[in-house]
């Protein structure tokens, strides 16, 4: 449906912009950058706006964004609602799409990233059906690659990743070179390892290519300008700043960042001099409170011109823009009508408003964010049209800003309002927070109706509702130990799945502590946030902290021990991991997660019978849990008990009929049993669900080749190459298939393409060497095989192939 007019958010933003005054130098410097020819040494790549809270950073950033759009630039705005580089890139994609520019390749890679996070556990499946001549045992490099995939895969949820979850490295690495090259055929290329463990390394080149394309295809009038805005940098800079610096460095080294890209960041702190000093292309934009002239212009724009009133506002606000705007909004006519910008500043500013508006402004400061639904939980007993009018009035206040479909109070204003509300009526404070908690719980129940809790942790809306529900329960009774214990236990659950989500919970605890002035909550939040900021060891540090201090109830401590067990297992400390799972079960014998963790760890240690026993117990405690069923199916598979594996994979498929990975896992087992027609049907069914699933296409191609359907096999290979032209592992698979059907020239060409994409690829080198040998190009064959053995000395097939070639190259 065509949009008939501006949205409410756009109207509010237009209204806010209409009143923008001041910051002339900053605006002029930003605009002047558009007039400098791209690539000129005077051009600035980055502007960093910084200053204290309330100084107007976000307001300026929004104004700069409007100015950029007026110049025809493509823009995106990202704030703390994005908790990682991939989330920030997803936001950029969405906003560019709204402006008519799709970053399709980046969107696909982001979708792949989300999938890969749930596929790492399946990375070794391809190794279970080794190609003819493949070496019988794994290399040390392969074992490391498999265990890396295991560590990533464990953080997934039931139904998301269903194959190879924490599989024993010795059993998985039957085609070790493929695992070493890209965590097996399941991962689409070597980048997929990094896509899961360090996604910015893989996604950034894609972003740069997309930006180059967008800049090149822009109209001449727009000059291809692209401006990216990153706000609330005091929160987002922890992950964005290293990435941004690396992106600039990559560009400086020839990575191709368009000269028409400009980045604007805004936060409370200056740039890190150790990282950014010495770069002429970066402009520091420190914001100070308004000068007297700027403050007077703002007051005049709001109709406040009486000199005694102006002088009083200037004296009381110190030029802080948010307070100048707030105190001036009601156009006080005399100095004694101007409020004091202290804890009662906003209350006194609202003094001239009707009682209902004053009350609404106060009570609506309680939630961390508002939308119309949250507003109506707090403001009741009035006709709909009056409620709509009140909400429109509230969202138009100068200290209330819109972000998406939600609004937030400025921190400088919200903090004193919260103090006023808490002190004025502690009982009403408690009642309102409970009412909000109940509302969020009701909405959460609606979102989660008929779904398993494990699955819901992957639902962003459900998580957000649970987060706010818990925040309001803590605010209602911050000293209630049971409420804190529950919140900490939920943080453990969040951290088990995603470090970014865990940090959101830590920040919620800190916010609850600040809101209620409760030291314990604030300390927990700050320390857990700091612990989880460590990308490599954050979860372990957080569990150490949780277990070292009182706060968790027995169930929460059990989950924390299980989480620490997982982290130890991911670090290959298997005995210590088992000890942690034992401690978890001492506290909570019925904790299926701990039994599952035991089973997975025993599986890694090669003790399949004990692993199956633990997984059986987990299944008894949590029947129909796809995570547990898949884990047992994989253990059966690795133990060579394919019939039982097929049965368990069948249960998984019954729970998730359209899960491509479950269908593919079942197909692999059917293939192992020689039930080729059934395996082919399973692959066909998986591809009917997702016809561009590369791994399944390649696996079906293998099966079709074995069944003698060469046309079908190479049709699948060709389709896979079409979908993934830059995937080295696909080129290697197709090249090896050419070799196995004696198309040696084609094999050499395709394997050479694989090696152009990934030069240090032992499997492709060895296979090309074998094909070159068949073409009597023995010296070239020896060179390839020698290089393969240098990269991987424990490569028996390469060594055997080389020994067959040596006699042909010996000179009498």
């Amino acid at each position: 449906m065509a949009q008939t007019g501006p949205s409410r958010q756009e109207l509010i933003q237009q209204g806010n912009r209409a009143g923008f005054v001041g910051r002339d130098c900053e605006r002029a410097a930003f605009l002047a950058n558009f007039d400098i020819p791209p690539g000129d040494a005077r051009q600035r790549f980055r502007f960093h706006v910084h200053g204290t809270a309330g100084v107007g950073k976000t307001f300026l950033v929004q104004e700069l964004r409007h100015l950029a759009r007026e110049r025809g630039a493509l823009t995106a705005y990202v704030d703390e609602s994005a908790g990682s580089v991939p989330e920030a890139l997803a936001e950029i994609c969405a906003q560019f799409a709204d402006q008519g520019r799709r970053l399709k390749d980046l969107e696909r890679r982001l979708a792949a990233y989300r999938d890969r996070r749930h596929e790492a556990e399946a990375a070794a499946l391809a190794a279970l059906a080794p190609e003819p001549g493949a070496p019988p045992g794994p290399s040390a490099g392969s074992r490391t690659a498999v265990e890396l995939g295991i560590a990533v895969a464990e953080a997934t949820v039931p139904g998301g990743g269903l194959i190879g979850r924490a599989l024993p490295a010795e059993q998985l690495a039957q085609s070790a070179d493929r695992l070493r090259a890209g965590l097996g055929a399941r991962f689409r290329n070597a980048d997929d390892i990094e896509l899961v463990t360090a996604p910015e390394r893989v996604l950034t080149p894609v972003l740069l290519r997309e930006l180059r394309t967008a800049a090149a295809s822009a109209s001449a009038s727009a000059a291809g300008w692209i401006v990216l805005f990153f706000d609330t940098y005091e929160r987002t800079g922890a992950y964005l700043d290293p990435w941004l610096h690396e992106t600039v460095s990559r560009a400086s080294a020839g990575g191709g960042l368009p000269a028409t890209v400009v980045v604007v960041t805004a936060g409370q702190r200056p740039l890190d001099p150790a990282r950014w000093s010495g770069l002429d292309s970066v402009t520091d934009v420190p914001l100070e409170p308004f000068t007297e002239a700027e403050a007077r212009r703002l007051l005049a724009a709001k109709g406040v011109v009486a000199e005694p009133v102006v002088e009083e506002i200037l004296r009381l606000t110190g030029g802080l823009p948010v307070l100048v705007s707030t105190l001036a909004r009601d156009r006080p006519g005399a100095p004694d009508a101007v409020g004091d910008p202290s804890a009662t500043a906003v209350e006194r500013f609202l003094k001239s408003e009707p009682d209902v508006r004053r009350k609404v402004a106060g009570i609506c400061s309680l939630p961390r964010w508002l939308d119309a639904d949250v507003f109506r939980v707090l403001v009741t007993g009035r006709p709909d049209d009056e409620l709509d009018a009140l909400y429109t009035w509230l969202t138009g206040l100068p200290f209330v800003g819109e972000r998406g479909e939600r609004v937030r109070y400025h921190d400088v204003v919200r903090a004193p309002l919260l103090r006023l509300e808490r002190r004025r009526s502690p009982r009403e404070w408690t009642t309102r927070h409970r009412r909000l908690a109940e509302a969020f719980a009701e909405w959460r129940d609606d979102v989660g109706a008929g779904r398993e809790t494990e699955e819901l942790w992957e639902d962003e809306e459900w998580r957000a509702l649970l987060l706010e529900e818990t925040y309001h329960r803590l605010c209602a009774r911050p000293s209630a130990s049971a409420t804190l214990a529950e919140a900490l236990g939920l943080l453990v659950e969040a951290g088990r799945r995603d470090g970014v989500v865990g940090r959101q919970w830590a920040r919620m605890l800190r916010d609850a502590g600040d809101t209620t002035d409760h030291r314990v909550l604030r300390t927990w939040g700050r320390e857990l946030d700091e612990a989880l900021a460590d990308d490599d060891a954050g979860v372990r540090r957080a569990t150490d902290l949780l277990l070292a201090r009182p706060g968790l109830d027995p169930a929460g401590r059990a989950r924390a021990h299980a989480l620490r067990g997982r982290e130890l297992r991911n670090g290959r400390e298997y005995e210590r991991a088992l000890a942690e799972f034992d401690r978890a079960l001492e506290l909570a014998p019925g904790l299926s997660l701990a039994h599952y963790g035991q089973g997975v760890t025993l599986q890694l240690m090669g003790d399949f019978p004990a692993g199956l026993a633990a997984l059986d117990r987990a299944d008894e405690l949590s029947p129909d849990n796809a995570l547990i069923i898949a884990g047992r199916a994989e253990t059966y598979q690795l133990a060579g008990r394919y019939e039982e594996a097929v049965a368990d994979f069948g249960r998984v498929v019954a729970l998730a009929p359209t899960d491509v990975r479950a269908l593919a896992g079942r197909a692999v087992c059917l293939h192992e049993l020689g039930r080729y027609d059934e395996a082919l049907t399973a692959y066909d069914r998986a591809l009917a669900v997702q016809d561009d699933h590369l791994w399944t296409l390649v696996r079906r191609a293998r099966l079709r080749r074995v069944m003698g359907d060469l046309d079908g096999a190479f049709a699948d290979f060709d389709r896979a190459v079409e979908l993934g032209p830059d995937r080295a592992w696909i080129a290697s698979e197709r090249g090896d298939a050419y070799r196995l059907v004696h198309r040696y020239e084609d094999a050499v060409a395709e394997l050479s393409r694989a090696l152009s994409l990934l030069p240090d690829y032992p499997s492709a080198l060895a296979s090309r060497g074998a094909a070159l040998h068949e073409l009597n190009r023995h010296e070239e064959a020896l060179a390839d095989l020698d290089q393969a053995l240098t990269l991987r000395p424990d490569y028996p097939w390469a060594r055997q192939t080389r020994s067959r070639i040596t006699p042909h190259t010996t000179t009498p």
Side-chain angles (χ1 to χ4, degrees):
M1 179 181 295
Q3 186 170 327
T4 58
S7 68
R8 178 171 57 82
Q9 179 184 355
E10 291 169 335
L11 287 171
I12 293 171
Q13 290 175 343
Q14 290 169 10
N16 288 341
R17 195 195 175 201
F20 189 94
V21 298
R23 308 306 185 195
D24 295 337
C25 293
E26 292 82 358
R27 297 162 77 194
F30 179 74
L31 283 172
N33 204 49
F34 290 107
D35 298 326
I36 299 173
D40 190 294
R42 296 169 298 162
Q43 187 189 6
R44 292 298 178 260
F45 154 75
R46 180 181 182 183
F47 294 82
H48 181 64
V49 180
H50 61 91
T52 60
V55 81
K57 298 181 294 297
T58 295
F59 207 20
L60 175 60
V61 165
Q62 295 290 3
E63 170 67 6
L64 297 182
R65 187 183 182 194
H66 284 296
L67 294 174
R69 295 288 288 273
E70 288 174 353
R71 288 297 188 101
L74 195 63
T75 70
Y77 173 87
V78 178
D79 60 17
E80 77 274 14
S81 61
S84 64
V85 170
E87 289 182 12
L89 297 184
E91 188 63 33
I92 291 170
C93 286
Q95 294 185 32
F96 277 18
D98 289 342
Q99 298 166 68
R101 164 58 61 180
R102 291 283 303 278
L103 306 185
K104 294 182 179 179
D105 285 347
L106 182 56
E107 289 175 8
R108 281 195 289 267
R109 290 302 278 160
L110 284 165
Y113 163 70
R114 290 187 287 270
D115 287 344
R116 293 295 82 73
R117 289 179 60 198
H118 301 308
E119 286 183 0
E121 74 279 11
L125 248 179
L128 296 175
E131 293 293 332
S139 68
S142 299
R143 180 185 179 93
T144 301
V146 174
E147 290 175 341
L148 177 60
I150 290 166
V152 175
E154 180 62 22
T156 63
V157 299
L162 300 174
I163 303 172
R165 210 175 296 270
L167 303 178
E170 296 295 335
Q171 297 294 322
L172 290 178
Q174 296 302 308
S175 292
D177 52 286
R178 289 184 177 85
L179 292 170
R180 187 172 186 267
L183 270 180
R186 181 63 173 182
F187 272 26
R188 298 173 183 178
N189 60 17
D191 285 348
D192 280 346
I193 302 174
E194 288 186 315
L195 185 59
V196 176
T197 60
E200 63 279 0
R201 294 181 188 172
V202 178
L203 296 172
T204 300
V206 183
L207 170 69
L208 294 175
R209 289 198 299 270
E210 294 277 29
L211 293 178
R212 289 196 299 272
T213 301
S217 62
S219 66
S221 61
W225 288 107
I226 299 170
V227 189
L228 305 177
F229 296 89
F230 299 102
D231 203 356
T232 59
Y233 211 63
E234 65 273 9
R235 297 186 179 183
T236 61
Y239 64 87
L240 281 178
D241 207 51
W243 168 74
L244 188 58
H245 186 268
E246 174 64 24
T247 301
V248 175
S249 302
R250 184 193 299 263
S252 300
L257 184 74
T260 52
V261 170
V262 177
V263 174
V264 179
T265 53
Q268 293 183 7
R269 295 181 290 274
L271 289 175
D272 179 359
R275 181 173 287 145
W276 293 100
S277 62
L279 287 179
D280 294 335
S281 60
V282 176
T283 295
D284 193 56
V285 186
L287 285 192
E288 300 293 337
F290 273 170
T291 64
E292 181 176 336
E294 289 173 324
R296 286 178 176 275
R297 286 175 57 195
L298 175 58
L299 292 170
K302 294 184 177 294
V304 180
V305 294
E307 187 60 26
V309 176
V310 170
E311 289 181 356
E312 183 67 3
I313 291 177
L314 293 176
R315 182 184 71 82
L316 292 173
T317 64
L320 198 63
V322 70
L323 293 180
V324 173
S325 179
T326 297
L327 297 179
R329 185 178 182 277
D330 201 40
R331 301 180 183 179
D336 59 4
V338 180
D340 181 359
S342 62
T344 61
V346 181
E347 174 73 2
R348 293 180 62 177
F349 151 68
L350 294 168
K351 186 175 182 179
S352 61
E353 294 285 357
D355 287 347
V356 63
R357 288 188 173 184
R358 294 169 55 201
K359 186 173 183 180
V360 164
I363 65 176
C364 286
S365 67
L366 269 63
R368 297 196 300 171
W369 52 259
L370 276 171
D371 58 18
D373 294 326
V374 177
F375 174 82
R376 286 175 180 250
V377 171
L378 290 165
V379 184
T380 60
R382 296 182 178 277
D384 287 346
D385 57 348
E386 185 177 346
L387 289 173
D388 291 341
L390 281 170
Y391 187 64
T392 300
W393 167 80
L394 180 69
T395 55
L397 290 172
F399 53 81
V400 178
E402 290 237 352
R403 295 184 184 170
E405 295 302 315
R406 297 169 176 171
V407 298
R408 299 175 189 267
Y409 280 47
H410 195 289
D411 289 343
V412 169
V413 173
R414 182 171 180 255
L417 271 178
L418 286 170
R419 287 195 295 271
L420 285 170
E421 289 299 312
R422 191 176 74 248
R423 293 169 182 170
R424 179 162 48 204
S425 178
R427 290 182 178 82
E428 285 187 3
W429 168 276
T430 298
T431 298
R432 290 191 177 111
H433 276 295
R434 283 178 175 165
R435 189 187 307 158
L436 285 165
E438 290 166 0
F440 279 109
E442 181 181 348
W443 298 331
R444 177 173 60 83
D445 288 342
D446 288 341
V447 171
R451 300 162 66 188
E452 293 292 331
T453 301
E454 286 283 344
E455 176 190 353
L456 289 170
W457 274 98
E458 284 296 297
D459 187 310
E460 184 177 354
E461 180 184 6
W462 184 90
R463 288 200 315 263
L465 294 170
L466 178 61
L467 188 67
E468 299 311 310
E469 174 193 347
T470 308
Y471 168 79
H472 289 294
R473 293 195 189 284
L474 288 168
C475 289
R477 283 286 182 236
S479 298
S481 59
T483 306
L484 173 59
E486 181 181 5
L488 292 173
L490 289 169
L491 185 144
V492 172
E493 288 295 311
R496 183 165 70 89
R497 291 159 174 82
D498 191 295
V500 172
V501 177
R503 291 195 72 187
Q504 291 172 354
W505 279 78
R507 289 171 180 170
M508 180 276 291
L509 287 173
R510 184 194 59 200
D511 287 347
D514 290 340
T515 296
T516 59
D517 196 24
H518 195 272
R519 183 182 58 80
V520 173
L521 289 179
R522 187 186 295 116
T523 301
W524 269 116
R526 185 188 69 252
E527 293 183 355
L528 287 168
D529 190 17
E530 292 171 355
L532 289 165
D534 186 337
D535 291 337
D536 295 326
V539 174
R540 188 185 296 196
R541 286 182 58 198
T543 54
D544 289 346
L545 178 63
L546 286 160
L547 291 169
R549 288 168 39 183
L552 285 170
D553 59 15
R557 293 186 69 82
R559 289 194 296 271
H561 278 297
L563 178 56
R564 185 155 67 178
R566 187 197 77 183
E567 294 302 297
L568 289 166
R569 186 184 67 237
N570 291 345
R572 300 167 69 175
E573 299 180 61
Y574 301 133
E575 295 294 345
R576 290 185 62 195
L578 285 177
E580 289 297 322
F581 290 123
D582 287 342
R583 292 189 184 99
L585 292 171
E586 289 171 4
L587 291 165
L591 183 60
S592 60
L593 174 66
H595 288 286
Y596 168 79
Q598 265 189 342
V600 167
T601 307
L602 290 164
Q603 189 187 82
L604 276 169
M605 298 172 75
D607 190 347
F608 293 161
L612 283 169
L615 290 165
D616 285 343
R617 179 58 179 151
D619 185 44
E620 291 173 10
L621 292 165
S622 296
D624 297 330
N625 184 309
L627 173 70
I628 295 167
I629 300 168
R632 189 171 62 184
E634 293 146 9
T635 308
Y636 281 136
Q637 179 182 356
L638 294 169
R641 296 168 61 175
Y642 298 115
E643 292 288 358
E644 290 105 320
V646 167
D648 264 358
F649 276 125
R651 286 182 62 194
V652 175
V653 171
L655 291 168
T658 60
D659 192 289
V660 176
R661 293 172 293 273
L663 291 165
R666 185 169 178 271
V668 167
C669 294
L670 290 168
H671 189 167
E672 291 292 338
L673 290 167
R675 293 157 61 177
Y676 295 158
D677 290 336
E678 293 176 78
L680 183 60
T681 298
Y683 282 127
D684 289 345
R685 182 176 168 187
L687 289 167
V689 173
Q690 186 177 343
D691 64 359
D692 62 350
H693 200 266
L694 294 177
W695 182 81
T696 306
L697 272 171
V698 170
R699 292 293 302 195
R700 187 173 71 176
R702 287 187 183 184
L703 178 62
R704 283 178 160 174
R705 179 177 57 76
V706 171
M707 296 175 71
D709 180 10
L710 297 184
D711 289 341
F714 284 103
D716 279 348
F717 278 126
D718 293 345
R719 170 66 172 156
V721 170
E722 178 186 349
L723 291 169
D726 61 344
R727 310 295 207 265
W729 74 270
I730 295 177
S732 181
E733 288 276 356
R734 185 166 69 165
D736 211 39
Y738 284 139
R739 179 183 66 82
L740 291 168
V741 298
H742 312 301
R743 293 170 58 177
Y744 300 119
E745 293 286 359
D746 291 334
V748 170
E750 189 65 357
L751 290 164
S752 296
R753 189 174 74 85
L755 289 164
S756 71
L757 295 168
L758 186 64
D760 293 338
Y761 198 159
S763 178
L765 284 164
S767 188
R768 188 174 69 173
L772 288 166
H773 169 53
E774 296 294 341
L775 293 170
N776 294 317
R777 294 161 61 178
H778 303 304
E779 293 293 343
E780 296 171 80
L782 273 178
D784 275 354
L785 289 161
D786 285 344
Q787 186 177 351
L789 287 166
T790 298
L791 292 168
R792 188 178 145 209
D794 60 337
Y795 198 164
W797 182 68
R799 191 168 300 282
Q800 293 164 9
T801 304
R802 187 188 187 287
S803 68
R804 293 197 301 271
I805 296 174
T806 302
H808 295 278
T809 59
T810 301
T811 302

